[in-house]
Amino acid sequence: MVIVSAFSARTSAFIGMRLEFYIIARNTDTGLMSWIISDYETNTNSHDPKNEFCGYTADPAVFATTPYGELLVDVRGIRSNKEFSVTVDLKKGQMEELDETLWVEGNLSVEYGGKLKSETSTPFSLIFDPVLMKEAVNIPLENIEIKANSYLSTIIDYESPISAALFPYSQHFIIKQDLELNELSNESDLNFQLKNFLDRKAFKTMAGDDIKKPLYAGILFSSLFNLGLILFLLIKLLL
């Protein structure tokens, strides 16, 4: 199974839109359903195990709704020259329950694959309220017009999607860096981590000084180093 996902995101590191392509598989070590990120594009900063931190990858990168009840997604990769373009009529969909194994369990075992995977990358888990994955709007396929898709073109027929879903509300996810590998294996583990997160207090918010202080420190260090180098060269010349 392949899932294409377009969404806007606001995180501690970037704000923008992303287009992601997942291959859905079962982890042979844990038995968990897993989402394998096989390709992506974005109009903002990003990070993946192979390319590490990098800038935007797509132009144009459109993810918007119109006053006529349409969703528009139009993305072209700058380096890959691949494109994805779809128009969705949102007016005739209705809320339906989602498959728990795919949407809840699957997001407890997320990994990068293909050209995005490195030898050191490992699966990670998203922490979220399972209610966010309980239901979504089922969009009738006749209300979807896929104008172009050249991503994963060798393994999918983009003209014949099986289903389409829309989350008409904000979703909130947390990536906890100190989780042990496979620490989240079921919804009970997820709810435990969610409760621990919600019970925490006094989070430090990001401020301008968080950027200014290391920036000024870098400038000061660079200036002192250059000054020391100049003095060293002058002393050598005078001697």
Side-chain angles (χ1 to χ4, degrees):
M1 179 190 296
V2 172
I3 292 180
V4 181
S5 177
F7 57 92
S8 59
R10 178 173 180 173
T11 76
S12 58
F14 63 84
I15 301 174
M17 73 86 64
R18 284 177 68 90
L19 178 70
E20 296 187 345
F21 296 83
Y22 315 91
I23 293 177
I24 308 303
R26 191 168 293 278
N27 189 307
T28 55
D29 294 328
T30 65
L32 289 175
M33 184 76 75
S34 300
W35 290 52
I36 313 299
I37 304 173
S38 303
D39 209 344
Y40 74 89
E41 302 288 2
T42 182
N43 65 351
T44 186
N45 298 328
S46 189
H47 177 275
D48 62 73
K50 195 70 172 181
N51 300 300
E52 298 185 339
F53 286 100
C54 53
Y56 71 94
T57 68
D59 186 18
V62 177
F63 177 69
T65 55
T66 74
Y68 308 106
E70 300 168 303
L71 171 67
L72 306 178
V73 181
D74 188 21
V75 175
R76 179 184 288 273
I78 297 172
R79 293 186 293 270
S80 67
N81 204 35
K82 296 178 182 178
E83 61 180 327
F84 180 83
S85 181
V86 63
T87 301
V88 183
D89 183 349
L90 302 175
K91 297 187 292 293
K92 296 182 180 179
Q94 61 181 7
M95 296 292 286
E96 293 187 11
E97 288 195 358
L98 297 170
D99 180 85
E100 183 177 337
T101 301
L102 174 60
W103 290 94
V104 176
E105 178 185 298
N107 279 291
L108 302 183
S109 179
V110 184
E111 170 69 295
Y112 285 89
K115 64 180 182 180
L116 303 178
K117 185 175 177 61
S118 74
E119 295 180 357
T120 59
S121 63
T122 57
F124 61 92
S125 300
L126 298 175
I127 298 175
F128 56 93
D129 190 332
V131 172
L132 296 173
M133 295 299 197
K134 183 177 181 181
E135 58 183 8
V137 177
N138 182 15
I139 304 296
L141 295 180
E142 60 267 22
N143 289 17
I144 302 172
E145 181 184 2
I146 303 177
K147 299 177 181 179
N149 178 41
S150 45
Y151 294 89
L152 303 185
S153 58
T154 59
I155 62 174
I156 60 173
D157 177 9
Y158 78 87
E159 294 182 339
S160 303
I162 297 174
S163 63
L166 168 75
F167 292 93
Y169 48 82
S170 296
Q171 290 179 303
H172 307 275
F173 299 87
I174 306 152
I175 298 178
K176 194 167 181 284
Q177 301 290 350
D178 58 351
L179 280 175
E180 296 293 334
L181 183 63
N182 303 323
E183 186 173 344
L184 270 66
S185 60
N186 52 53
E187 188 171 338
S188 177
D189 295 339
L190 175 61
N191 284 323
F192 176 77
Q193 292 291 337
L194 178 65
K195 184 178 185 304
N196 283 347
F197 180 81
L198 295 177
D199 287 343
R200 294 173 64 187
K201 307 293 183 184
F203 282 97
K204 183 184 183 300
T205 57
M206 189 173 183
D209 285 345
D210 296 327
I211 299 175
K212 291 177 183 177
K213 288 178 180 178
L215 181 62
Y216 290 156
I219 293 173
L220 178 61
F221 175 81
S222 178
S223 300
L224 291 174
F225 177 81
N226 289 333
L227 179 60
L229 183 60
I230 292 171
L231 291 174
F232 173 76
L233 292 175
L234 285 174
I235 292 171
K236 287 203 68 173
L237 288 173
L238 293 174
L239 293 177

